[in-house]
């Protein structure tokens, strides 16, 4: 196992994401026992991952507390007043059966002002002072502007972002990685396989990898991330033993990508992008739409539906349902949005094509 210095601790570069645990405790225990025996010492969960905190706590119960590092996350969107902060935090400690959390995060920040208004940061700093949180960070799927606003709220020990060889330009992508690195903030990566999808693209798309030999699709995605030295932990949500075993062999030793492998990653990426419907980056410069169309939201749904066809893994995080109240049929073709789109997308035309392809009907 490859280890890194992460906030002063020797942490395995492969982190165990507990979001996709199997439902049976015996299967969870077998995975955690194997992970612990193989040197994984970083375990990532969250208050909102159903049952995950409880299962993880039970599976780690028999191990000395100083042999593993556990995370959890505060879902600020569930916080109505300050008593909720205390309640949620204590529930997490109880479910995990621990009296402190090694790496605690503000979960999935989408609006830095909300974090400020709800006093989330001062509350968590107080917990840090009390020793109940050892290192404080935040996780974010939002654009870089939100990430920069978060860095103004306070001092964070680390941050968790989504990054993989397909999603490098948005939410907050490689730009987010660079900002964090400039601020000397270590990075944890989530969604290295885009919800498992990059591991399970069909053989036609993965042909460039297959031609190189018998390494798994997932291994290329992980090694692509490993080239970034400020990425201290790469989380993988492992549900089955063969996934864990494959990941262990990838993280056994860091082997930099050679030229042929880099080329193959680019080709697989191009194959995937070919089936993308709209090159929308989710930047939202086109918003708001005067007719109430959620332009990036609709394009994301359409891309997701199309992309789903290229993978045998449908373990999606992204929603694929169209909300009629902000759907493509609301567009009145005023053209205002197109003035602002850096990708020069013919937005009304694409919305119309989406409605047609998905057979959307006016309510
Ligand atoms: S063209 Fe359609 S999507 Fe664009 S701003 Fe006008 S109504 Fe909204
Ligand atoms: S401006 Fe263009 S790229 Fe940005 S969200 Fe709107 S449609 Fe997508």
């Amino acid at each position: 196992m490859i280890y890194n210095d992460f906030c002063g601790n020797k942490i395995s570069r492969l982190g165990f994401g507990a979001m996709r645990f199997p439902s049976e405790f015996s299967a969870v225990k077998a995975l955690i026992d194997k992970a612990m025996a193989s040197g994984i010492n970083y375990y990532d969960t969250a208050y909102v991952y159903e049952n995950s905190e409880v299962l993880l706590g039970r599976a780690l119960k028999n191990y000395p507390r100083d042999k593993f590092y556990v995370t959890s996350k505060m879902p600020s969107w569930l916080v109505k007043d300050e008593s909720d902060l205390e309640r949620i935090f204590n529930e997490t400690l109880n479910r995990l059966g621990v009296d402190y959390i090694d790496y605690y995060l503000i979960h999935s920040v989408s609006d830095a002002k909300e974090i400020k208004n709800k006093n989330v940061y001062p509350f968590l700093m107080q917990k840090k002072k009390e020793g109940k949180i050892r290192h404080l960070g935040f996780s974010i799927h939002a654009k870089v502007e939100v990430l920069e606003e978060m860095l103004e709220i306070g001092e964070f020990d680390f941050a968790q972002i989504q990054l993989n060889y397909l999603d490098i330009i948005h939410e907050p992508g490689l730009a987010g990685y660079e900002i964090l690195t400039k601020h000397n903030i270590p990075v944890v990566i989530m969604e290295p396989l885009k919800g498992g999808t990059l591991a399970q693209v069909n053989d036609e798309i993965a042909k460039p990898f297959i031609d190189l030999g018998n390494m798994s699709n997932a291994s290329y995605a992980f090694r692509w991330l490993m080239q970034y030295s400020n990425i201290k932990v790469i989380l993988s949500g492992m549900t089955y033993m063969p996934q864990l075993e494959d990941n262990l062999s990838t993280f056994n030793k860091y082997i930099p990508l050679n030229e042929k492998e880099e080329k193959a990653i680019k080709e697989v990426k191009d194959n995937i992008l070919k089936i993308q419907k709209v090159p929308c980056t989710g930047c939202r410069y086109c918003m708001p739409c005067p007719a109430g169309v959620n332009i990036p939201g609709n394009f994301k749904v359409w891309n997701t539906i199309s992309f789903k066809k290229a993978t045998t893994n449908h373990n999606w995080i992204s929603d694929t349902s169209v909300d009629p109240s902000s759907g493509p049929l609301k567009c009145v073709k005023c053209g205002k949005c197109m003035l602002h789109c850096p990708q020069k997308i013919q937005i009304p035309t694409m919305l119309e094509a989406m409605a047609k392809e998905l057979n959307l009907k006016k309510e």
Side-chain angles (χ1 to χ4, degrees), residues 289-291 293 295 330-338 347-348 351:
C289 154
V293 180
I295 301 167
K330 291 274 166 189
C331 175
V332 295
K333 300 189 170 56
C334 69
K336 182 180 162 271
C337 52
M338 285 201 297
I347 296 171
L351 287 169

Side-chain angles (χ1 to χ4, degrees), residues 222-241:
F222 289 130
R223 286 170 61 216
W224 181 85
L225 285 164
M226 281 191 222
Q227 64 186 309
Y228 297 98
S229 60
N230 192 34
I231 293 177
K232 302 301 178 188
V233 180
I234 301 170
L235 295 172
S236 178
M238 294 170 267
T239 313
Y240 306 108
M241 199 57 87

Side-chain angles (χ1 to χ4, degrees), residues 278-287 295-296 299 337 340-345 347:
V278 199
C280 172
T281 61
C283 69
R284 301 183 70 83
Y285 292 142
C286 54
M287 295 288 280
I295 301 167
F299 288 158
C337 52
H340 308 287
C341 178
Q343 311 300 323
K344 310 270 180 262
I345 297 168
I347 296 171

Side-chain angles (χ1 to χ4, degrees), residues 233-251:
V233 180
I234 301 170
L235 295 172
S236 178
M238 294 170 267
T239 313
Y240 306 108
M241 199 57 87
Q243 290 170 335
L244 172 57
E245 282 163 357
D246 183 49
N247 288 353
L248 287 170
S249 67
T250 305
F251 284 84

Side-chain angles (χ1 to χ4, degrees), residues 120-179:
V120 179
Y121 180 75
F123 171 83
L124 296 177
M125 284 306 278
Q126 180 57 32
K127 292 291 168 202
K128 201 176 163 189
K129 226 188 241 168
E130 292 167 16
K132 292 188 171 171
I133 291 174
R134 297 289 158 90
H135 305 284
L136 180 61
F138 60 91
S139 70
I140 185 165
H141 291 271
K143 50 191 179 169
V144 287
E145 287 84 349
V146 180
L147 188 143
E148 280 171 326
E149 282 167 27
M150 278 306 286
L151 298 182
E152 280 168 22
I153 283 184
E155 287 196 11
F156 291 97
D157 302 310
F158 69 106
Q160 185 165 311
I161 61 170
Q162 169 174 337
L163 187 64
N164 54 62
Y165 68 74
L166 192 69
D167 293 325
I168 58 171
I169 53 168
H170 57 110
E171 297 181 352
L174 219 37
Y177 169 81
E178 274 151 20
I179 291 167

Side-chain angles (χ1 to χ4, degrees), residues 14 16 27 45 107 128 133 145 151 156 158 190 193 200 208 226 231 303 313 327 332-333 354 360:
L14 172 61
F16 201 116
T45 183
H107 198 172
K128 201 176 163 189
I133 291 174
E145 287 84 349
L151 298 182
F156 291 97
F158 69 106
M190 55 186 160
L193 305 175
Q200 295 177 48
M226 281 191 222
I231 293 177
N303 280 337
N313 169 42
V332 295
K333 300 189 170 56
M354 175 182 171
L360 301 177

